[in-house]
Amino acid sequence: MASAEQPRSDEAHKVVVKSVPGEPNMTISLTVGGVQRHLQRPKEELLEKPLARLHANLSAPGKGKKHKGRSQQATDPSSAQPASASVAVLAGLTQPSLDASSVTNEAAWVTGHILQLGEARLPILRNPPLIAKLDVYGDAFVGIPLVPVPQLLFADEDACSWEWEVQRPPASVWTRVGGDPACSAGRGVQRTYIPTPEDVGALVRVRCTPGRRGKGGAAPTWGEAALAVAGGRVQPHPATQPGPAKVCIPPARLEATVPPRLRVVSYNILADQYAATERAKSVLFGHCPEKYLRPMHRRPLILGQLLEFQADILCLQEVDESAFRGLLEPGLRDAGYSGVYTNKLGKVAEGEAAFFRSERYELAARRDVDFRAAFLARREADGPEDAAGSMATRSPLSERYGPALAAFLEAHPSLREALQRVGTVAQLLLLRPRDPRHAPLCLVNTHLFFHNDAPHIRTLHTWAAVKEACAFLQESADLVKDCELEPTLLFCGDMNSDLNDGIPGALQLLETGQLGADYWDWEAGVDFDWHRTGKNKGNSGDEIGEEDEGEPKGGPAPLPEAAAVRPDPAACGLDLSLAWPRPLRPAGDLQAPFSNYVSGYQGLLDYVWYDPAALECVDVMPTPSAAELGSFLPSRSLPSDHLPVVFDLSFLPSRARASGSQGPRVDGGASPESPRCVSTQGPPPTSAGGVRPAALHAVRAAAAALAGGGVVALPTDTLYGLAASARDEGGVARLYAVKGRRHAKPVAIALADTRALPRYVTAAHLPPGLVGALLPGPVTLLLERRADAPLAPGLNRGTASLGVRIPDSAFVRAVARQLGGALALTSANASGQTSSVAVTEFQVRRGILGVGWGEREADMLWSGDGGGTRLRNGVEG
């Protein structure tokens, strides 16, 4: 909070006028009869009106207000004036008074004129540097900068003076700290102050003197100082106190980078509005004391984290606009960053913020992608772009994104409507290197829409964001044409796409450059309807309204009870091709176990994607494990429910701009004729062998092995199992051969979720709620097999019934979903022998590569043509 200082004795003997351009009134401030007066007067009013008011005040100086002390009145020239004293405005010391009956306030109250109050003459100072408000937001912690934010009038922020003082108990005096004692007039230039351990328990305040730069080398003009006291007494940094861990990164790895290295951070900082709901405080974050959910506690810790990383690029999501304006932007600007903010569409007051180190980059161009406008099917009237350069809708959807997408949305009206409801935006920044020998960056920062039934919306927004980035680069090419290297793409953000159910379409598209119409999460979005599904409570219980999206938090929502046959997966989706000429690669290769860690849900949601032809990932900053965290997020020392993901990238050599280079293409469309990206990052060959962890980042490789007819050993929720693709005749035959099992003896199938159940068996007769109550879990349902089930003819030939499992194992379900069909599943042991429940019991027969386990933790091996292999604690032997 701020408190203006009392005017100094010399400042009390002048008239201060505030006249803001464009406003109809002005404020005239002066001391009359020992009382501070503030007159709000219309600018076009005649001067005689305020002079009459001042004359009346001079005649009755104490009317309506308590008199000041006698000592102050004795120093006030106006306090001793007789009631009949004249009041006038003079054009100068030796000039006559103005004609008050014909001159307006606007013309009279200007610098250089003089107000005469009887014998006293008070110089008029119009629009001196002023501080309307001064705040130092947030709790004060050792090691985290205190950042004062002034609201200035007629002042230049870089010309202001800052003086810091502390009051350390038990002393009651204020002692100056920080700053440069050599500064003239005691004025300092240190805007921020970082409390030290010696300040614990102390109060800290700042005095800001507003200044305005002089013209033509003239001295600056100074205004009246204001004081602000930081929020509460200085506390030790939470990370130094007993309790949950903070993001611990060795100091040597946090040194500022130099080219060709580039440190990139993506971080969902948890918007205050989502931490403040009753459900958040009592359920989602019920483990966290409410005092640690306050913005006053969390925001300074976020700023401290961001400064600690010494990153070159910071991509933030769920940024409250007030947090950006009131702390993050000024705090990071003081540390050498430039930043931009983009609010989401609708009524929510949060969005994305991107910062970059100013000594390395400058902002060449910017565009905000409005995804509602991007997917609008009909032409709107042409209009100017807004101040932020938001994409104007100037062409029909078919012209922007191709006729196939337009036809697809026409055939899926629920999806088309949802795309007009969701408030997602994306920031596009073209960053020009200060050194032209380095590469420009096209930065994408976004926070994709969350709903468990809407992965197809996230896929379409990802595809459109890359396409818009390519078009943006082409349109802005002249701004970086003198750089020696081609621009490259960085795609960052909270994609709300985890690996818990398989590789989502948004990630598959980025990593392989293409997505088929039969990909699994097209079908997963079939049930999404804004009015029936989208308005239901999300995972946090927040309502997703008719016009604006909320921001649900937490674990996956329950799946609907399956009864009817699902549509053909190929009819649910659309072939997509990435507009960037190459697939992108995720920094860290998707191996982080989670970035969002709350009660009931843990998943990897936050990503940095880069072009592997231009960059490589050379360092992945460690984040705490679940054991190190000790509790769910947020906590006293970790202010968000997400962890920041921090990567050091490095530019590859020999990327010089080719003669006649056309840059990225923008024709990656939604049609069979669209050119395809060529992926260089396919899964490893199925015959390669080697131990691989049964982790979610390995799901794609496991599914690829099964799709190639392989047999894979993998951990389930009960025993260790052998699996093959249930629709692959060769894979099923091999499963029986590996198992040593007679074909007359049936095996069960494993599905990804209950949605797939009616495609394989007859389930409509089951009581409502039964399937959901039993599955996922250690239960096998024996049901009638559908004649048209997509299964290999040799699977349980001649058997009318089919055992169906949905294991309570995220890895098994994710493999089934990634495969796009059922797994044929049996226990991992020779037929007739005891089932394997520990790694020491599991032996791999000749002709199989499978999974080797440590106790309760699996390592995966692919199927292939090898000799006998024995696994001991996950090591090939």
Side-chain angles (χ1 to χ4, degrees), residues 838-871:
V839 64
T840 54
E841 303 171 20
F842 183 58
Q843 297 192 19
V844 181
R845 293 169 52 89
R846 180 178 178 82
I848 175 174
L849 293 175
V851 176
W853 299 277
E855 293 294 336
R856 300 298 178 187
E857 185 175 352
D859 287 326
M860 190 160 53
L861 293 164
W862 306 136
S863 60
D865 296 328
T869 305
R870 178 181 174 84
L871 299 180

PDB file of all heavy atoms in Angstrom, residues 838-871:
ATOM      1  N   ALA A 838       6.587 -62.084  -9.685  1.00  0.00           N
ATOM      2  CA  ALA A 838       7.813 -61.371  -9.335  1.00  0.00           C
ATOM      3  C   ALA A 838       8.833 -61.634 -10.419  1.00  0.00           C
ATOM      4  O   ALA A 838       8.783 -62.648 -11.123  1.00  0.00           O
ATOM      5  CB  ALA A 838       8.346 -61.835  -7.976  1.00  0.00           C
ATOM      6  N   VAL A 839       9.765 -60.741 -10.569  1.00  0.00           N
ATOM      7  CA  VAL A 839      10.727 -60.846 -11.645  1.00  0.00           C
ATOM      8  C   VAL A 839      11.568 -62.111 -11.537  1.00  0.00           C
ATOM      9  O   VAL A 839      11.964 -62.708 -12.538  1.00  0.00           O
ATOM     10  CB  VAL A 839      11.624 -59.597 -11.691  1.00  0.00           C
ATOM     11  CG1 VAL A 839      12.464 -59.481 -10.431  1.00  0.00           C
ATOM     12  CG2 VAL A 839      12.515 -59.620 -12.921  1.00  0.00           C
ATOM     13  N   THR A 840      11.822 -62.515 -10.341  1.00  0.00           N
ATOM     14  CA  THR A 840      12.653 -63.707 -10.172  1.00  0.00           C
ATOM     15  C   THR A 840      11.942 -64.966 -10.650  1.00  0.00           C
ATOM     16  O   THR A 840      12.579 -65.985 -10.895  1.00  0.00           O
ATOM     17  CB  THR A 840      13.039 -63.857  -8.694  1.00  0.00           C
ATOM     18  OG1 THR A 840      11.854 -63.846  -7.896  1.00  0.00           O
ATOM     19  CG2 THR A 840      13.960 -62.738  -8.269  1.00  0.00           C
ATOM     20  N   GLU A 841      10.605 -64.895 -10.796  1.00  0.00           N
ATOM     21  CA  GLU A 841       9.848 -66.055 -11.243  1.00  0.00           C
ATOM     22  C   GLU A 841       9.671 -66.076 -12.752  1.00  0.00           C
ATOM     23  O   GLU A 841       9.283 -67.101 -13.325  1.00  0.00           O
ATOM     24  CB  GLU A 841       8.458 -66.054 -10.595  1.00  0.00           C
ATOM     25  CG  GLU A 841       8.477 -66.036  -9.079  1.00  0.00           C
ATOM     26  CD  GLU A 841       7.088 -65.815  -8.523  1.00  0.00           C
ATOM     27  OE1 GLU A 841       6.109 -66.048  -9.259  1.00  0.00           O
ATOM     28  OE2 GLU A 841       6.964 -65.396  -7.353  1.00  0.00           O
ATOM     29  N   PHE A 842       9.917 -64.932 -13.400  1.00  0.00           N
ATOM     30  CA  PHE A 842       9.596 -64.827 -14.822  1.00  0.00           C
ATOM     31  C   PHE A 842      10.775 -65.265 -15.673  1.00  0.00           C
ATOM     32  O   PHE A 842      11.862 -64.716 -15.574  1.00  0.00           O
ATOM     33  CB  PHE A 842       9.216 -63.389 -15.149  1.00  0.00           C
ATOM     34  CG  PHE A 842       8.810 -63.198 -16.579  1.00  0.00           C
ATOM     35  CD1 PHE A 842       7.766 -63.910 -17.118  1.00  0.00           C
ATOM     36  CD2 PHE A 842       9.492 -62.304 -17.385  1.00  0.00           C
ATOM     37  CE1 PHE A 842       7.389 -63.737 -18.439  1.00  0.00           C
ATOM     38  CE2 PHE A 842       9.129 -62.130 -18.698  1.00  0.00           C
ATOM     39  CZ  PHE A 842       8.080 -62.848 -19.234  1.00  0.00           C
ATOM     40  N   GLN A 843      10.564 -66.235 -16.515  1.00  0.00           N
ATOM     41  CA  GLN A 843      11.584 -66.689 -17.434  1.00  0.00           C
ATOM     42  C   GLN A 843      11.050 -66.588 -18.843  1.00  0.00           C
ATOM     43  O   GLN A 843       9.919 -66.951 -19.111  1.00  0.00           O
ATOM     44  CB  GLN A 843      11.988 -68.139 -17.132  1.00  0.00           C
ATOM     45  CG  GLN A 843      12.612 -68.299 -15.749  1.00  0.00           C
ATOM     46  CD  GLN A 843      13.261 -69.654 -15.598  1.00  0.00           C
ATOM     47  OE1 GLN A 843      13.541 -70.312 -16.589  1.00  0.00           O
ATOM     48  NE2 GLN A 843      13.501 -70.045 -14.362  1.00  0.00           N
ATOM     49  N   VAL A 844      11.871 -66.088 -19.747  1.00  0.00           N
ATOM     50  CA  VAL A 844      11.457 -65.892 -21.129  1.00  0.00           C
ATOM     51  C   VAL A 844      11.871 -67.103 -21.945  1.00  0.00           C
ATOM     52  O   VAL A 844      13.036 -67.490 -21.963  1.00  0.00           O
ATOM     53  CB  VAL A 844      12.096 -64.611 -21.702  1.00  0.00           C
ATOM     54  CG1 VAL A 844      11.647 -64.384 -23.128  1.00  0.00           C
ATOM     55  CG2 VAL A 844      11.733 -63.435 -20.830  1.00  0.00           C
ATOM     56  N   ARG A 845      10.912 -67.711 -22.594  1.00  0.00           N
ATOM     57  CA  ARG A 845      11.193 -68.895 -23.406  1.00  0.00           C
ATOM     58  C   ARG A 845      11.894 -68.499 -24.706  1.00  0.00           C
ATOM     59  O   ARG A 845      11.930 -67.348 -25.093  1.00  0.00           O
ATOM     60  CB  ARG A 845       9.874 -69.599 -23.744  1.00  0.00           C
ATOM     61  CG  ARG A 845       9.179 -70.200 -22.526  1.00  0.00           C
ATOM     62  CD  ARG A 845       7.768 -70.628 -22.877  1.00  0.00           C
ATOM     63  NE  ARG A 845       7.730 -71.487 -24.045  1.00  0.00           N
ATOM     64  CZ  ARG A 845       7.838 -72.820 -24.005  1.00  0.00           C
ATOM     65  NH1 ARG A 845       7.997 -73.428 -22.850  1.00  0.00           N
ATOM     66  NH2 ARG A 845       7.780 -73.531 -25.114  1.00  0.00           N
ATOM     67  N   ARG A 846      12.405 -69.462 -25.370  1.00  0.00           N
ATOM     68  CA  ARG A 846      13.070 -69.250 -26.659  1.00  0.00           C
ATOM     69  C   ARG A 846      12.096 -68.584 -27.633  1.00  0.00           C
ATOM     70  O   ARG A 846      10.960 -68.972 -27.769  1.00  0.00           O
ATOM     71  CB  ARG A 846      13.545 -70.590 -27.238  1.00  0.00           C
ATOM     72  CG  ARG A 846      14.252 -70.445 -28.575  1.00  0.00           C
ATOM     73  CD  ARG A 846      14.747 -71.784 -29.062  1.00  0.00           C
ATOM     74  NE  ARG A 846      15.377 -71.666 -30.348  1.00  0.00           N
ATOM     75  CZ  ARG A 846      16.634 -71.277 -30.517  1.00  0.00           C
ATOM     76  NH1 ARG A 846      17.378 -70.973 -29.477  1.00  0.00           N
ATOM     77  NH2 ARG A 846      17.160 -71.185 -31.727  1.00  0.00           N
ATOM     78  N   GLY A 847      12.603 -67.563 -28.340  1.00  0.00           N
ATOM     79  CA  GLY A 847      11.807 -66.926 -29.376  1.00  0.00           C
ATOM     80  C   GLY A 847      11.019 -65.727 -28.901  1.00  0.00           C
ATOM     81  O   GLY A 847      10.236 -65.186 -29.662  1.00  0.00           O
ATOM     82  N   ILE A 848      11.161 -65.297 -27.660  1.00  0.00           N
ATOM     83  CA  ILE A 848      10.409 -64.125 -27.209  1.00  0.00           C
ATOM     84  C   ILE A 848      11.346 -63.114 -26.585  1.00  0.00           C
ATOM     85  O   ILE A 848      12.283 -63.466 -25.878  1.00  0.00           O
ATOM     86  CB  ILE A 848       9.315 -64.508 -26.185  1.00  0.00           C
ATOM     87  CG1 ILE A 848       8.649 -63.232 -25.659  1.00  0.00           C
ATOM     88  CG2 ILE A 848       9.874 -65.275 -25.012  1.00  0.00           C
ATOM     89  CD1 ILE A 848       7.478 -63.490 -24.762  1.00  0.00           C
ATOM     90  N   LEU A 849      11.080 -61.876 -26.859  1.00  0.00           N
ATOM     91  CA  LEU A 849      11.657 -60.774 -26.092  1.00  0.00           C
ATOM     92  C   LEU A 849      10.490 -60.127 -25.382  1.00  0.00           C
ATOM     93  O   LEU A 849       9.504 -59.766 -26.003  1.00  0.00           O
ATOM     94  CB  LEU A 849      12.358 -59.759 -27.006  1.00  0.00           C
ATOM     95  CG  LEU A 849      13.614 -60.281 -27.705  1.00  0.00           C
ATOM     96  CD1 LEU A 849      14.127 -59.221 -28.654  1.00  0.00           C
ATOM     97  CD2 LEU A 849      14.680 -60.663 -26.707  1.00  0.00           C
ATOM     98  N   GLY A 850      10.561 -59.951 -24.105  1.00  0.00           N
ATOM     99  CA  GLY A 850       9.401 -59.439 -23.389  1.00  0.00           C
ATOM    100  C   GLY A 850       9.794 -58.400 -22.378  1.00  0.00           C
ATOM    101  O   GLY A 850      10.552 -57.507 -22.679  1.00  0.00           O
ATOM    102  N   VAL A 851       9.295 -58.529 -21.184  1.00  0.00           N
ATOM    103  CA  VAL A 851       9.538 -57.556 -20.135  1.00  0.00           C
ATOM    104  C   VAL A 851      10.303 -58.211 -19.021  1.00  0.00           C
ATOM    105  O   VAL A 851       9.957 -59.300 -18.572  1.00  0.00           O
ATOM    106  CB  VAL A 851       8.201 -56.994 -19.608  1.00  0.00           C
ATOM    107  CG1 VAL A 851       8.443 -56.052 -18.441  1.00  0.00           C
ATOM    108  CG2 VAL A 851       7.472 -56.278 -20.722  1.00  0.00           C
ATOM    109  N   GLY A 852      11.339 -57.559 -18.550  1.00  0.00           N
ATOM    110  CA  GLY A 852      12.027 -58.014 -17.353  1.00  0.00           C
ATOM    111  C   GLY A 852      11.713 -57.051 -16.243  1.00  0.00           C
ATOM    112  O   GLY A 852      11.701 -55.846 -16.447  1.00  0.00           O
ATOM    113  N   TRP A 853      11.421 -57.526 -15.047  1.00  0.00           N
ATOM    114  CA  TRP A 853      10.954 -56.667 -13.981  1.00  0.00           C
ATOM    115  C   TRP A 853      11.893 -56.654 -12.795  1.00  0.00           C
ATOM    116  O   TRP A 853      12.432 -57.686 -12.409  1.00  0.00           O
ATOM    117  CB  TRP A 853       9.582 -57.140 -13.479  1.00  0.00           C
ATOM    118  CG  TRP A 853       8.510 -57.110 -14.507  1.00  0.00           C
ATOM    119  CD1 TRP A 853       7.765 -56.033 -14.866  1.00  0.00           C
ATOM    120  CD2 TRP A 853       8.067 -58.191 -15.305  1.00  0.00           C
ATOM    121  NE1 TRP A 853       6.884 -56.371 -15.839  1.00  0.00           N
ATOM    122  CE2 TRP A 853       7.045 -57.707 -16.129  1.00  0.00           C
ATOM    123  CE3 TRP A 853       8.433 -59.540 -15.425  1.00  0.00           C
ATOM    124  CZ2 TRP A 853       6.373 -58.488 -17.044  1.00  0.00           C
ATOM    125  CZ3 TRP A 853       7.764 -60.321 -16.339  1.00  0.00           C
ATOM    126  CH2 TRP A 853       6.744 -59.792 -17.137  1.00  0.00           C
ATOM    127  N   GLY A 854      12.042 -55.502 -12.206  1.00  0.00           N
ATOM    128  CA  GLY A 854      12.443 -55.437 -10.821  1.00  0.00           C
ATOM    129  C   GLY A 854      11.168 -55.597 -10.011  1.00  0.00           C
ATOM    130  O   GLY A 854      10.069 -55.599 -10.557  1.00  0.00           O
ATOM    131  N   GLU A 855      11.282 -55.725  -8.730  1.00  0.00           N
ATOM    132  CA  GLU A 855      10.085 -55.946  -7.930  1.00  0.00           C
ATOM    133  C   GLU A 855       9.111 -54.790  -8.136  1.00  0.00           C
ATOM    134  O   GLU A 855       9.412 -53.634  -7.865  1.00  0.00           O
ATOM    135  CB  GLU A 855      10.460 -56.076  -6.438  1.00  0.00           C
ATOM    136  CG  GLU A 855      11.280 -57.318  -6.115  1.00  0.00           C
ATOM    137  CD  GLU A 855      10.492 -58.605  -6.320  1.00  0.00           C
ATOM    138  OE1 GLU A 855       9.233 -58.550  -6.261  1.00  0.00           O
ATOM    139  OE2 GLU A 855      11.122 -59.630  -6.549  1.00  0.00           O
ATOM    140  N   ARG A 856       7.932 -55.108  -8.652  1.00  0.00           N
ATOM    141  CA  ARG A 856       6.845 -54.144  -8.852  1.00  0.00           C
ATOM    142  C   ARG A 856       7.194 -53.030  -9.823  1.00  0.00           C
ATOM    143  O   ARG A 856       6.549 -52.003  -9.837  1.00  0.00           O
ATOM    144  CB  ARG A 856       6.402 -53.538  -7.515  1.00  0.00           C
ATOM    145  CG  ARG A 856       5.905 -54.570  -6.518  1.00  0.00           C
ATOM    146  CD  ARG A 856       4.686 -55.282  -7.035  1.00  0.00           C
ATOM    147  NE  ARG A 856       4.226 -56.298  -6.111  1.00  0.00           N
ATOM    148  CZ  ARG A 856       3.258 -57.151  -6.371  1.00  0.00           C
ATOM    149  NH1 ARG A 856       2.671 -57.126  -7.538  1.00  0.00           N
ATOM    150  NH2 ARG A 856       2.905 -58.053  -5.478  1.00  0.00           N
ATOM    151  N   GLU A 857       8.217 -53.217 -10.615  1.00  0.00           N
ATOM    152  CA  GLU A 857       8.553 -52.194 -11.621  1.00  0.00           C
ATOM    153  C   GLU A 857       9.034 -52.904 -12.870  1.00  0.00           C
ATOM    154  O   GLU A 857       9.933 -53.735 -12.812  1.00  0.00           O
ATOM    155  CB  GLU A 857       9.632 -51.249 -11.091  1.00  0.00           C
ATOM    156  CG  GLU A 857       9.917 -50.110 -12.056  1.00  0.00           C
ATOM    157  CD  GLU A 857      10.884 -49.114 -11.468  1.00  0.00           C
ATOM    158  OE1 GLU A 857      11.203 -49.237 -10.280  1.00  0.00           O
ATOM    159  OE2 GLU A 857      11.320 -48.224 -12.211  1.00  0.00           O
ATOM    160  N   ALA A 858       8.417 -52.582 -13.995  1.00  0.00           N
ATOM    161  CA  ALA A 858       8.648 -53.381 -15.200  1.00  0.00           C
ATOM    162  C   ALA A 858       9.630 -52.726 -16.141  1.00  0.00           C
ATOM    163  O   ALA A 858       9.701 -51.515 -16.247  1.00  0.00           O
ATOM    164  CB  ALA A 858       7.335 -53.607 -15.922  1.00  0.00           C
ATOM    165  N   ASP A 859      10.393 -53.587 -16.847  1.00  0.00           N
ATOM    166  CA  ASP A 859      11.205 -53.175 -17.989  1.00  0.00           C
ATOM    167  C   ASP A 859      10.720 -53.986 -19.166  1.00  0.00           C
ATOM    168  O   ASP A 859      10.447 -55.171 -19.036  1.00  0.00           O
ATOM    169  CB  ASP A 859      12.694 -53.439 -17.766  1.00  0.00           C
ATOM    170  CG  ASP A 859      13.292 -52.473 -16.767  1.00  0.00           C
ATOM    171  OD1 ASP A 859      12.841 -51.315 -16.740  1.00  0.00           O
ATOM    172  OD2 ASP A 859      14.178 -52.883 -16.019  1.00  0.00           O
ATOM    173  N   MET A 860      10.601 -53.330 -20.326  1.00  0.00           N
ATOM    174  CA  MET A 860       9.962 -53.960 -21.461  1.00  0.00           C
ATOM    175  C   MET A 860      10.993 -54.362 -22.505  1.00  0.00           C
ATOM    176  O   MET A 860      11.928 -53.625 -22.783  1.00  0.00           O
ATOM    177  CB  MET A 860       8.942 -53.010 -22.078  1.00  0.00           C
ATOM    178  CG  MET A 860       8.055 -53.647 -23.105  1.00  0.00           C
ATOM    179  SD  MET A 860       6.558 -52.671 -23.352  1.00  0.00           S
ATOM    180  CE  MET A 860       7.252 -51.074 -23.700  1.00  0.00           C
ATOM    181  N   LEU A 861      10.800 -55.527 -23.104  1.00  0.00           N
ATOM    182  CA  LEU A 861      11.612 -56.002 -24.228  1.00  0.00           C
ATOM    183  C   LEU A 861      10.680 -56.313 -25.381  1.00  0.00           C
ATOM    184  O   LEU A 861       9.583 -56.825 -25.186  1.00  0.00           O
ATOM    185  CB  LEU A 861      12.389 -57.267 -23.837  1.00  0.00           C
ATOM    186  CG  LEU A 861      13.473 -57.114 -22.783  1.00  0.00           C
ATOM    187  CD1 LEU A 861      13.856 -58.472 -22.247  1.00  0.00           C
ATOM    188  CD2 LEU A 861      14.682 -56.437 -23.391  1.00  0.00           C
ATOM    189  N   TRP A 862      11.120 -56.017 -26.612  1.00  0.00           N
ATOM    190  CA  TRP A 862      10.252 -56.266 -27.759  1.00  0.00           C
ATOM    191  C   TRP A 862      10.341 -57.727 -28.201  1.00  0.00           C
ATOM    192  O   TRP A 862      11.341 -58.395 -27.959  1.00  0.00           O
ATOM    193  CB  TRP A 862      10.663 -55.385 -28.933  1.00  0.00           C
ATOM    194  CG  TRP A 862      10.736 -53.929 -28.604  1.00  0.00           C
ATOM    195  CD1 TRP A 862      11.706 -53.069 -28.953  1.00  0.00           C
ATOM    196  CD2 TRP A 862       9.790 -53.171 -27.850  1.00  0.00           C
ATOM    197  NE1 TRP A 862      11.436 -51.820 -28.482  1.00  0.00           N
ATOM    198  CE2 TRP A 862      10.253 -51.855 -27.790  1.00  0.00           C
ATOM    199  CE3 TRP A 862       8.584 -53.468 -27.211  1.00  0.00           C
ATOM    200  CZ2 TRP A 862       9.575 -50.835 -27.148  1.00  0.00           C
ATOM    201  CZ3 TRP A 862       7.898 -52.460 -26.550  1.00  0.00           C
ATOM    202  CH2 TRP A 862       8.390 -51.164 -26.533  1.00  0.00           C
ATOM    203  N   SER A 863       9.303 -58.167 -28.909  1.00  0.00           N
ATOM    204  CA  SER A 863       9.326 -59.516 -29.480  1.00  0.00           C
ATOM    205  C   SER A 863      10.275 -59.542 -30.671  1.00  0.00           C
ATOM    206  O   SER A 863      10.463 -58.563 -31.372  1.00  0.00           O
ATOM    207  CB  SER A 863       7.927 -59.922 -29.926  1.00  0.00           C
ATOM    208  OG  SER A 863       7.439 -59.030 -30.903  1.00  0.00           O
ATOM    209  N   GLY A 864      10.909 -60.686 -30.927  1.00  0.00           N
ATOM    210  CA  GLY A 864      11.838 -60.796 -32.032  1.00  0.00           C
ATOM    211  C   GLY A 864      12.336 -62.221 -32.173  1.00  0.00           C
ATOM    212  O   GLY A 864      11.852 -63.135 -31.514  1.00  0.00           O
ATOM    213  N   ASP A 865      13.292 -62.452 -33.013  1.00  0.00           N
ATOM    214  CA  ASP A 865      13.791 -63.801 -33.309  1.00  0.00           C
ATOM    215  C   ASP A 865      15.090 -64.051 -32.584  1.00  0.00           C
ATOM    216  O   ASP A 865      16.092 -64.285 -33.182  1.00  0.00           O
ATOM    217  CB  ASP A 865      14.017 -63.972 -34.824  1.00  0.00           C
ATOM    218  CG  ASP A 865      12.715 -63.855 -35.579  1.00  0.00           C
ATOM    219  OD1 ASP A 865      11.683 -64.255 -35.003  1.00  0.00           O
ATOM    220  OD2 ASP A 865      12.740 -63.366 -36.707  1.00  0.00           O
ATOM    221  N   GLY A 866      15.136 -63.985 -31.313  1.00  0.00           N
ATOM    222  CA  GLY A 866      16.386 -64.192 -30.604  1.00  0.00           C
ATOM    223  C   GLY A 866      16.484 -65.575 -30.016  1.00  0.00           C
ATOM    224  O   GLY A 866      15.599 -66.399 -30.106  1.00  0.00           O
ATOM    225  N   GLY A 867      17.600 -65.836 -29.387  1.00  0.00           N
ATOM    226  CA  GLY A 867      17.764 -67.090 -28.679  1.00  0.00           C
ATOM    227  C   GLY A 867      17.158 -66.980 -27.292  1.00  0.00           C
ATOM    228  O   GLY A 867      16.446 -66.045 -26.966  1.00  0.00           O
ATOM    229  N   GLY A 868      17.413 -67.958 -26.477  1.00  0.00           N
ATOM    230  CA  GLY A 868      16.865 -67.946 -25.136  1.00  0.00           C
ATOM    231  C   GLY A 868      17.390 -66.765 -24.339  1.00  0.00           C
ATOM    232  O   GLY A 868      18.559 -66.418 -24.415  1.00  0.00           O
ATOM    233  N   THR A 869      16.532 -66.133 -23.550  1.00  0.00           N
ATOM    234  CA  THR A 869      16.908 -64.983 -22.741  1.00  0.00           C
ATOM    235  C   THR A 869      16.321 -65.158 -21.351  1.00  0.00           C
ATOM    236  O   THR A 869      15.166 -65.499 -21.205  1.00  0.00           O
ATOM    237  CB  THR A 869      16.380 -63.664 -23.355  1.00  0.00           C
ATOM    238  OG1 THR A 869      16.843 -63.571 -24.681  1.00  0.00           O
ATOM    239  CG2 THR A 869      16.842 -62.466 -22.561  1.00  0.00           C
ATOM    240  N   ARG A 870      17.127 -64.932 -20.380  1.00  0.00           N
ATOM    241  CA  ARG A 870      16.645 -65.009 -19.005  1.00  0.00           C
ATOM    242  C   ARG A 870      16.774 -63.612 -18.395  1.00  0.00           C
ATOM    243  O   ARG A 870      17.781 -62.930 -18.564  1.00  0.00           O
ATOM    244  CB  ARG A 870      17.477 -66.008 -18.189  1.00  0.00           C
ATOM    245  CG  ARG A 870      17.046 -66.088 -16.713  1.00  0.00           C
ATOM    246  CD  ARG A 870      17.920 -67.073 -15.957  1.00  0.00           C
ATOM    247  NE  ARG A 870      17.621 -67.062 -14.533  1.00  0.00           N
ATOM    248  CZ  ARG A 870      16.639 -67.753 -13.964  1.00  0.00           C
ATOM    249  NH1 ARG A 870      15.847 -68.499 -14.725  1.00  0.00           N
ATOM    250  NH2 ARG A 870      16.445 -67.700 -12.673  1.00  0.00           N
ATOM    251  N   LEU A 871      15.713 -63.157 -17.697  1.00  0.00           N
ATOM    252  CA  LEU A 871      15.729 -61.839 -17.081  1.00  0.00           C
ATOM    253  C   LEU A 871      15.948 -61.977 -15.590  1.00  0.00           C
ATOM    254  O   LEU A 871      15.286 -62.760 -14.921  1.00  0.00           O
ATOM    255  CB  LEU A 871      14.400 -61.112 -17.322  1.00  0.00           C
ATOM    256  CG  LEU A 871      14.047 -60.865 -18.796  1.00  0.00           C
ATOM    257  CD1 LEU A 871      12.735 -60.148 -18.873  1.00  0.00           C
ATOM    258  CD2 LEU A 871      15.132 -60.074 -19.479  1.00  0.00           C
TER     259      LEU A 871
END
